[in-house]
Amino acid sequence: GYCLLPLTAQRLVAVAFPLQMDQVVNAPAWARSDMYEMLVKVGEGTAVNIDTVPQIVREIAADRFGLKTHEETRELPVYLLVRARADRATGSGLKPAAVDCTLRKPPTRAPDQPLPAELSRCGLTQRPGVVSMSGFPMDPFVRILSNIVGRVVVDRAGLEGNWDLDLEFAPDLSPDSAGGPPTDRPSIFSPLTEQLGLKLEAGRAPVSVVAIDEIR
């Protein structure tokens, strides 16, 4: 099985294509708020990796929610993710990964042989004020970054391959959590430059979106 954490129908569509949340449009209110927990079972021999998961999730969305969509291009306010330094060097928190965690080319092994120990370092973790990633391309991080800043992020940094990153910043605490512990960390824009050597520039750009025609 392949487990998906609790998520809204709109986020499921975002995973299915895959897109950032603002690139999924025409979602009804319940699809943006109601949470679902899903366990996906795939057939024996079916590859589950960074390339195949979107198609698997698209089939789930069509079956469970009767999802019908079409693609459009809209000009939207965006942030451009670019290199911050003149020498284009990355920061100490962003390094090329030693391990490929996409499993596009799984290591050769016997059926009963466990995955190599180095793959235990694979992961993508987000919690308030912290994002950590090991062994994946920048795309998943860009989608997380978009959710944090509340705007589509267009990746213009040109970072190919798989990366390890660790980013710490002051989370945007809602009024409900204003009583939480104080932090002296700055908001995400400065840490992005200081820790990763990247920055966000505001602009507008044509962006591909998926418009929901039917969901139930």
Side-chain angles (χ1 to χ4, degrees):
Y2 179 80
C3 184
L4 295 176
L5 295 177
L7 75 179
T8 63
Q10 183 187 28
R11 186 173 293 278
L12 185 75
V13 177
V15 172
F17 279 89
L19 295 169
Q20 298 167 30
M21 287 287 284
D22 284 355
Q23 291 172 271
V24 179
V25 299
N26 298 350
W30 67 264
R32 300 192 302 269
S33 61
D34 294 358
M35 302 295 291
Y36 296 85
E37 193 170 88
M38 300 185 184
L39 178 65
V40 181
K41 294 183 178 180
V42 298
E44 186 176 349
T46 300
V48 178
N49 59 42
I50 198 170
D51 297 315
T52 61
V53 164
Q55 178 59 41
I56 293 170
V57 176
R58 280 196 292 273
E59 293 172 2
I60 295 167
D63 179 65
R64 172 60 180 81
F65 296 103
L67 178 70
K68 296 181 181 178
T69 66
H70 70 274
E71 296 185 11
E72 299 178 7
T73 298
R74 298 187 181 184
E75 185 171 281
L76 299 176
V78 301
Y79 281 117
L80 303 177
L81 181 68
V82 299
R83 307 283 186 104
R85 302 179 182 180
D87 62 3
R88 296 181 60 80
T90 57
S92 60
L94 180 60
K95 300 176 181 178
V99 178
D100 179 1
C101 297
T102 65
L103 293 183
R104 287 185 170 119
K105 296 180 180 178
T108 302
R109 59 192 177 93
D112 58 347
Q113 182 180 358
L115 286 171
E118 61 265 22
L119 291 184
S120 64
R121 304 205 309 269
C122 295
L124 178 59
T125 302
Q126 179 189 9
R127 59 183 188 273
V130 176
V131 180
S132 296
M133 182 176 80
S134 297
F136 287 101
M138 291 296 289
D139 291 355
F141 172 68
V142 171
R143 289 193 287 274
I144 287 176
L145 192 58
S146 171
N147 293 334
I148 292 171
V149 299
R151 184 182 293 189
V152 171
V153 175
V154 178
D155 187 1
R156 298 279 176 82
L159 294 167
E160 302 294 337
N162 301 314
W163 294 83
D164 295 341
L165 69 81
D166 290 289
L167 178 65
E168 294 187 1
F169 57 96
D172 182 13
L173 298 176
S174 68
D176 292 339
S177 58
T183 176
D184 57 2
R185 290 180 292 184
S187 67
I188 195 167
F189 291 88
S190 294
L192 192 64
T193 296
E194 295 163 2
Q195 299 172 32
L196 305 188
L198 305 174
K199 65 178 179 179
L200 293 171
E201 296 180 343
R204 295 184 65 87
V207 175
S208 296
V209 302
V210 165
I212 295 177
D213 298 318
E214 184 176 336
I215 189 170
R216 58 181 187 274

